[in-house]
Amino acid sequence: MKNSWLALILLISPQYLFAQWKGNMDIGFSYFSGNVKKMDIRSTGGLSHKDSVFEFSSFYKAIYAETDNIQNNEELSGGIQFDYLPHSRFSPFILFTAFRNQFKNIDLRLSGILGGKYLLYKSDNAAYSISVAYQFDAEQYVEETSDENKNRLSVRPKIKQKIGKGVYFEHVTFFKPNLSNFNDYMIESSSALSNNITDKIKLKLSYEIEYVSQPTKADLLKTDQVMLATLSFSL
């Protein structure tokens, strides 16, 4: 009897553990030829595990672009996050991220973030939340500029709303002021409309904007915007 129970546990456990892991990958690609040759490749994705006690999530973003065979953008970023009691109304979390984009004069930015998420409203069709966190940034620059460490406040509202059969609207905004200089702040915002094509594939239309009040170089623009059409695959 003991061996039978052991065999049953070994049979069920991998399926149970695997069922709690979720992954996704988004892919967007565009290519133009003629008077102007332009190519853009973008991929984002992540892997997460969630139960009643904790949630682990990881994510990445990769961007490459060139015009007339001259590279004009390359970005790599990613991170890992741990949430305690993710199903509770209040959930503390810790997050570590890395960011690199030499075209924005950031050779490497390492961030450690500690805060809490408060669930404002949740139903089968919607989830609204807000988070507040302390963020420490260690930045290394491409140009001959002194590296900096910055202490930031990070405030993030997030909305997910079902608006039709298989159609969802999602919005998230990060407001990140420098605690020692509130004139130095970043705003990162993303809005997306997605439609489920199958259980595993959806089409996503999104708009992203990033605003940096004090760029690290005088010739850098403060605002970056992008509109995207991507295919999202659930793993």
Side-chain angles (χ1 to χ4, degrees):
M1 178 65 70
K2 183 177 180 181
N3 291 335
S4 298
W5 277 108
L6 180 60
L8 182 60
I9 292 172
L10 292 175
L11 178 65
I12 294 176
S13 295
Q15 298 176 2
Y16 174 74
L17 292 172
F18 182 78
Q20 295 189 71
W21 286 91
K22 294 182 179 179
N24 70 284
M25 182 174 64
D26 299 351
I27 298 176
F29 175 81
S30 65
Y31 179 77
F32 300 89
S33 64
N35 293 316
V36 175
K37 293 183 179 180
K38 185 177 180 180
M39 178 175 67
D40 292 284
I41 302 172
R42 178 189 177 98
S43 178
T44 61
L47 183 67
S48 65
H49 174 281
K50 186 176 183 179
D51 57 36
S52 60
V53 179
F54 83 98
E55 179 179 8
F56 164 82
S57 58
S58 61
F59 58 90
Y60 78 90
K61 178 194 287 186
I63 299 173
Y64 179 87
E66 64 178 42
T67 301
D68 291 332
N69 298 321
I70 299 175
Q71 183 181 353
N72 53 30
N73 195 14
E74 183 179 54
E75 181 175 310
L76 295 172
S77 62
I80 56 173
Q81 179 171 331
F82 299 89
D83 291 74
Y84 180 62
L85 300 176
H87 295 293
S88 301
R89 183 168 291 274
F90 177 76
S91 174
F93 66 86
I94 186 170
L95 169 65
F96 301 98
T97 67
F99 174 90
R100 175 184 171 91
N101 189 326
Q102 294 185 329
F103 293 89
K104 294 181 179 180
N105 198 37
I106 304 295
D107 191 45
L108 181 63
R109 177 193 292 141
L110 297 176
S111 300
I113 303 162
L114 178 65
K117 178 187 70 176
Y118 185 77
L119 186 62
L120 299 172
Y121 173 77
K122 186 174 183 180
S123 70
D124 292 338
N125 297 323
Y128 304 155
S129 65
I130 188 169
S131 70
V132 179
Y134 163 75
Q135 177 171 330
F136 175 78
D137 291 339
E139 298 185 344
Q140 299 177 6
Y141 305 117
V142 177
E143 298 292 327
E144 294 182 1
T145 306
S146 298
D147 297 339
E148 287 191 68
N149 295 332
K150 296 182 178 180
N151 299 286
R152 294 188 180 274
L153 176 68
S154 177
V155 180
R156 184 228 68 184
K158 184 177 182 180
I159 296 171
K160 183 175 182 179
Q161 178 69 54
K162 185 177 181 180
I163 59 176
K165 185 177 180 180
V167 181
Y168 293 86
F169 171 76
E170 297 181 61
H171 175 82
V172 59
T173 292
F174 291 89
F175 175 60
K176 302 178 181 180
N178 187 338
L179 292 174
S180 60
N181 177 14
F182 274 81
N183 291 320
D184 174 17
Y185 60 90
M186 298 188 298
I187 298 175
E188 302 168 0
S189 183
S190 173
S191 299
L193 192 66
S194 62
N195 182 28
N196 292 341
I197 299 174
T198 69
D199 292 339
K200 298 293 185 180
I201 303 174
K202 61 184 176 183
L203 175 65
K204 182 186 294 186
L205 303 176
S206 57
Y207 169 72
E208 298 179 2
I209 182 170
E210 179 183 286
Y211 179 83
V212 179
S213 65
Q214 295 184 356
T216 57
K217 287 175 59 181
D219 59 345
L220 288 174
L221 297 177
K222 294 183 178 182
T223 304
D224 287 301
Q225 302 179 71
V226 61
M227 296 188 70
L228 299 164
T230 58
L231 285 176
S232 180
F233 301 88
S234 297
L235 308 176

